[in-house]
Amino acid sequence: MTRPPLGSTMRLVRPAPNVLGFYDGRVDGARIWSDEPNWLDDGAYTLGICTYAIVDGSQALVYDTHISLPHARFIRRTLEEAGVTSIRVVLSHWHDDHIAGNEVFEDCEIIANGLTAAGLERGRAGIESGNPPIKPLVLPNRMFENSLSLTVGAIPIELRQVEIHSHDGTVLLMPNTGLLLAGDTLEDSVTYVSEPERLAEHLVDLERMAGWHFDRILPNHGSFEAIEAGGYDRSLIAAAQAYIRKLLACRHDPDLAMQDLKTFGADMFAATAAEYFAPYEAVHRQNVEAVVAAGSR
């Protein structure tokens, strides 16, 4: 197992006009922090992670600050070399792999919904002492509730608060281009269940999302090829819905709960934009165990 330096395998992509993607991970035979279990390798790098920047002229909006300070420095350097002089940051939610680079942007406006700000404040001790640690944890300095409209240069942006994957999700809609930056609300291969007792609420907001107008989806976790090619179609929403409903059924169907992901998700992979990726087998096993345990409480 090789251990490349943090940020050294980052790939810059341009999935849509005025959008830069900063992709890392899904590198065969590589981990970048430790052979031991840790959030950076197991929750992000092995699965593949991409954060984004919307750029127009001298202005940029960074959507999540990536998984380490070197990654965040790469993002900032890329933007500044392109002539950007004004940067704002939006946090999709409070999890480590989306906020680890905040310190690099501590002189910028860092925007989050109120639940994300509260989650970071509440979890600060654990985040700063984690494996790897994120210390100091730089907190957001501008909060909103429900929705917020912004512009980046001449580009209109809508931030919308949702409860999918985590209780504090913020997705970013570019209404003029039909693009949704989805954070972890949508994921390929399957959602990473972090709040198993709230899956019914996640389904409610997935249905609400399905009623919005957009054509393409850029998730934070997905395949390099799909993101580079412009993202996923709207069937990624149906994939998330189908997977969560089937997870909930595992509480009453022990045989279903025993299936590996390839079998469990075969219909979903055949009919939607979601694709089977073997490292998600471990995620699926954790998901099933968490959902079944939550149902027995």
Side-chain angles (χ1 to χ4, degrees):
M1 188 71 67
T2 61
R3 182 118 9 104
L6 289 170
S8 65
T9 55
M10 185 95 93
R11 288 166 278 178
L12 177 66
V13 295
R14 301 178 185 274
N18 300 98
V19 179
L20 301 179
F22 300 90
Y23 191 98
D24 207 1
R26 295 200 181 193
V27 177
D28 288 343
R31 291 169 70 86
I32 56 169
W33 182 253
S34 170
D35 291 338
E36 302 301 317
N38 67 88
W39 65 259
L40 195 161
D41 283 305
D42 300 305
Y45 189 80
T46 300
L47 305 177
I49 182 164
C50 193
T51 69
Y52 301 95
I54 300 164
V55 183
D56 191 24
S58 63
Q59 295 187 25
L61 186 69
V62 171
Y63 184 65
D64 287 340
T65 62
H66 230 291
I67 56 177
S68 76
L69 297 181
H71 286 81
R73 292 187 192 108
F74 180 101
I75 294 170
R76 183 153 190 170
R77 183 170 65 251
T78 299
L79 295 175
E80 290 176 344
E81 288 175 354
V84 170
T85 57
S86 173
I87 298 175
R88 287 171 291 172
V89 171
V90 171
L91 303 179
S92 68
H93 62 301
W94 73 280
H95 291 166
D96 296 31
D97 53 321
H98 302 263
I99 54 88
N102 282 11
E103 185 184 354
V104 171
F105 299 96
E106 64 182 338
D107 60 331
C108 303
E109 185 173 70
I110 301 178
I111 304 167
N113 71 57
L115 293 178
T116 296
L120 288 168
E121 187 64 68
R122 189 168 55 246
R124 185 203 289 260
I127 293 168
E128 291 193 333
S129 63
N131 180 29
I134 301 170
K135 187 173 185 179
L137 172 63
V138 173
L139 297 172
N141 49 40
R142 180 182 178 184
M143 273 65 81
F144 74 95
E145 302 297 331
N146 299 320
S147 64
L148 178 65
S149 295
L150 302 168
T151 57
V152 181
I155 302 171
I157 301 294
E158 294 179 18
L159 304 181
R160 296 183 182 180
Q161 187 172 334
V162 293
E163 183 176 353
I164 307 168
H165 170 73
S166 63
H167 67 285
D168 67 315
T170 292
V171 297
L172 187 156
L173 195 64
M174 299 177 67
N176 287 5
T177 58
L179 189 64
L180 179 75
L181 274 56
D184 281 4
T185 64
L186 300 169
E187 189 165 345
D188 180 26
S189 298
V190 294
T191 189
Y192 198 122
V193 175
S194 62
E195 299 177 6
E197 69 287 348
R198 300 290 295 175
L199 287 183
E201 286 74 16
H202 298 184
L203 283 171
V204 169
D205 268 10
L206 280 166
E207 189 63 31
R208 181 163 68 96
M209 179 185 284
W212 299 347
H213 296 290
F214 57 87
D215 304 309
R216 305 296 295 175
I217 299 163
L218 290 172
N220 279 44
H221 300 287
S223 85
F224 173 79
E225 292 78 13
I227 290 171
E228 183 182 40
Y232 295 79
D233 65 36
R234 292 174 56 89
S235 69
L236 200 60
I237 302 173
Q241 292 170 315
Y243 180 70
I244 290 172
R245 291 190 184 107
K246 209 165 184 180
L247 278 179
L248 290 170
C250 288
R251 292 175 175 171
H252 312 290
D253 188 339
D255 291 335
L256 184 63
M258 291 297 293
Q259 290 181 358
D260 63 17
L261 176 59
K262 198 167 192 175
T263 305
F264 187 93
D267 291 346
M268 176 186 74
F269 295 133
T272 72
E275 299 178 350
Y276 176 75
F277 182 54
Y280 272 90
E281 289 284 1
V283 175
H284 172 64
R285 184 49 38 205
Q286 293 170 23
N287 287 347
V288 171
E289 292 171 359
V291 170
V292 170
S296 65
R297 288 200 287 268

